[in-house]
Amino acid sequence: MMKKVGSVLLFLLFMSQTVYADFDIQKAIDRAKPGATITIPAGQYKGNFVLTKKITLRGIQGTELVALGNEPVFRIDGGSTVTIENMALSGNKQAIVASDVDGLELRNLNIKDSHTGVYIQRSKNVHIQHIEMTGNNSHFSKKGNGLAIFKSEDVVVEDTNIKLVQDGIYVEEVKNILVQNNRVTNSRYGTHFMYSSNVQAFHNTYRNNVTGFMVMMTNDIYVKDNHLENHNGLNSYGMLLYDAQQAVLELNTIMNNRTGVALQKSVGITIASNDFRMNQTALEGIMVKGNSVATNNQFTGNILTARADRQGFLLTNNYYDDYSGIDLKNDGIGDVPYVAVSSFGQWMVRQPVYQYFVASPSVVLLTSLDQQINKTEKTVLVDVTPKLMTHQITKKNETNFQQLLIGLLIVTTSMWLWKRGVS
Amino acid sequence: MNSMLLKLELKQMLRSRWMQLVGMLFTFIFTAIIVIQQMALPDVEGFTRQTASFLNVLLFLLPLFILTIGSMSVAGDIESGWFSLLKTYPMTRAQYIVGKYMATVCAFILVVVVAFGTVLALGGFLGGVRLPLVFITLTLLCVVIFASLAIAIGAFAQTRLFALSQSLVLWSFFLLLLSYALMAIGTVVAGHILQKLTVIVIHINPAEWLRFGYFIFSDQASVLGPAFYGVTRFYSSYIGYVVYGIVTFLWITLPLLSANKQLQKRGVC
């Protein structure tokens, strides 16, 4: 009996070994004329493939390519109009490395077990679309980026879903890049822009990373309609702009972050019509210059609305849920300024150790006193035209009967106990 | 004898108009703030203004009520001559202190349960509120630690008025003055010194100890900032939990022992 079971197990073990497909991809690439399309049949292929000419590689459902050693699955050197689509890739170091390509299209790729998903340098007209990439649970320092793009121009990255990597989308020295409809979770930075210019980011979702957007030494930035949520680590930010110039951040939802948006050494930043909700600190500014302004934003449920050094930044026409002024003129604007400046907020900027006291009883009292005392403050972090709520949606709550009954039971029992104790 | 004293003390405490008013006030303020915050803001994980309000209502109100009522209860016994009567019973000083302590703890737990029940009932009617387990545990810890301190204050006080003033001083010292002093020191010393001083204050201030415990046990230690990474990491480990338990135990027992010593010195019982 045992012998039979052993034989069956051995058979199953043998059958479950990876079977590699017969189709020779490299031979097909070498034989193809420039501009040709190669369809790779379903199956698992092992190897490192090199592309140097105009070509389209198209997989079908079940096409899976695995790199050998530390070389990538695809190395694209030079050439123009290279398209790779519809396949699963895995490589030890990188899945795809592209250098000096003019016209690179990567579509519908599922990348796994790779240190870095896609590595692109010195390329133009790059279009990356529908990439799924999952890293691993090791420390960020041991992981690579989902997509890494260096020294390139005219790049579009859209509809990707990246998780558990170092930086979801890492961009360095790139001109003209559009990043849209991407989703990066559980990584270090959602998207990381360095030394780039003319950067646009629309409709992206970043959740549970160390920081959603990290923008450093970059200029001409337009960030619109993104969702930045749950960045609550020791040094987390929804969005951090360091040494950034000329940025517009609008219509973003920034929710439940340690710091919603932080500006450091940045110039000419406009933060408009964003929704700041439930952040520990909604807005932080250190050494901000050049008419930087936060306008028409909505601040709801944040512990600290804004903090800044002496330079501060301009607050105008924002809605603050903790504003206590009135509107006798009935023009939708509060009659007395909203003072966001607080002693504690400024101490926290100067000395990070003060963060320990955030929202502590002593600080809550101090901030309340500040709001009374600083009514005459006219310089920084004062909104002289705070908006009042013009309309509101009334949501009908549904009674939670289970909780209601438990609550009533507890109250009745404890009251009975109290009465019994007294008598 | 011990259970008889406990019953007697508990009955006296629950009968007290002051205690009943405090129970109503605490329930009203606690329920109002929690339910309003819950209704006004979306329910999200993490440390938000909502959880900060939870914590602050608890740390502001509960210690104040426990310290004043608990200390005046002991001081009142001495002042009114109740002790002289108790001396005629076969009862030790320790039994008196433990009985007094247990009665205070039980009475305030009843107040807290009424408040939590009201929050659940009203919150349930309005759509549902969350009362995290960490928060409930922290409330119980708050009661057992501050009740112990209240007994100690009462033992040191000569009169009820003196106990009241001592309680208010200690309350403001723990909740406000110590933090302000630390913040003021921080403006003239380097960050690493302020960090060390803050760590010391966490251990010598029961209000800070409870607040710190909330962040540790609710897995939100990152709120305290990177400067406290080492401390929070230690207290998030198993050894840290044990140390937290030991320090909490000391916060309960040391005031009771000092109360015993003080009553002995004063020749009571």
Side-chain angles (χ1 to χ4, degrees), chain A residues 121-135:
Chain A
Q121 57 184 345
R122 299 184 303 274
S123 296
K124 279 203 283 196
N125 300 313
V126 177
H127 192 177
I128 300 171
Q129 200 180 15
H130 292 296
I131 305 280
E132 290 276 335
M133 170 150 184
T134 305

Side-chain angles (χ1 to χ4, degrees), chain A residues 232 354 356 358 362 397 400, chain B residues 39 124 180 183 208 211 222-223:
Chain A
N232 278 316
Y354 279 109
Y356 171 80
V358 71
S362 51
N397 290 305
N400 183 336
Chain B
M39 299 301 294
Y180 290 145
M183 287 183 212
E208 285 301 339
R211 184 172 172 269
S222 63
V223 171

